[in-house]
Amino acid sequence: MYTWQQIQKTIEIIEQHLDENLDIEFLSSEAALSPFYYQKLFKKLVKLSVMDYIKGRRLAIALEDLKTTNKKIINVALDHGFNSHENFTK
């Protein structure tokens, strides 16, 4: 399997588990790559670090929730994997 396919596989895993705690060790093992090489390759192909990609996806989904529901900001933040209101609004 090509390395870009391994990165795509982990992007699909990230999308399925966005509300869960994801770490580099788990994702790199799913890609069958070392954590160092996985992070380097992900950034080269996606143009974002793994954690920036995850944070950006969580923010995008949270934004949709804010636009389409009447939930409080803190509830949306907690629902989408942010530890606090402050962490979400940064």
Side-chain angles (χ1 to χ4, degrees):
M1 186 175 283
Y2 295 105
T3 53
W4 64 267
Q5 290 172 313
Q6 296 299 92
I7 298 301
Q8 181 60 43
K9 176 183 173 183
T10 62
I11 288 173
E12 292 168 7
I13 291 169
I14 290 168
E15 293 298 323
Q16 294 169 359
H17 301 280
L18 270 174
D19 293 341
E20 299 173 22
N21 187 17
L22 296 167
D23 64 15
I24 300 299
E25 296 295 325
F26 169 71
L27 294 170
S28 64
S29 70
E30 290 294 315
L33 300 169
S34 74
F36 174 79
Y37 185 63
Y38 171 72
Q39 290 179 85
K40 185 175 179 175
L41 186 60
F42 191 99
K43 185 161 187 155
K44 181 179 181 181
L45 295 174
V46 181
K47 307 296 186 226
L48 291 170
S49 71
V50 179
M51 299 319 269
D52 283 346
Y53 177 82
I54 292 171
K55 184 171 37 171
R57 291 296 300 130
R58 286 178 176 163
L59 282 170
I61 293 170
L63 175 64
E64 285 302 313
D65 262 6
L66 287 172
K67 289 180 359 184
T68 59
T69 67
N70 290 326
K71 292 182 184 178
K72 292 182 179 184
I73 293 175
I74 185 63
N75 293 335
V76 170
L78 295 173
D79 288 349
H80 294 289
F82 294 92
N83 297 331
S84 67
H85 178 270
E86 293 81 15
N87 191 7
F88 180 68
T89 57
K90 279 185 187 177

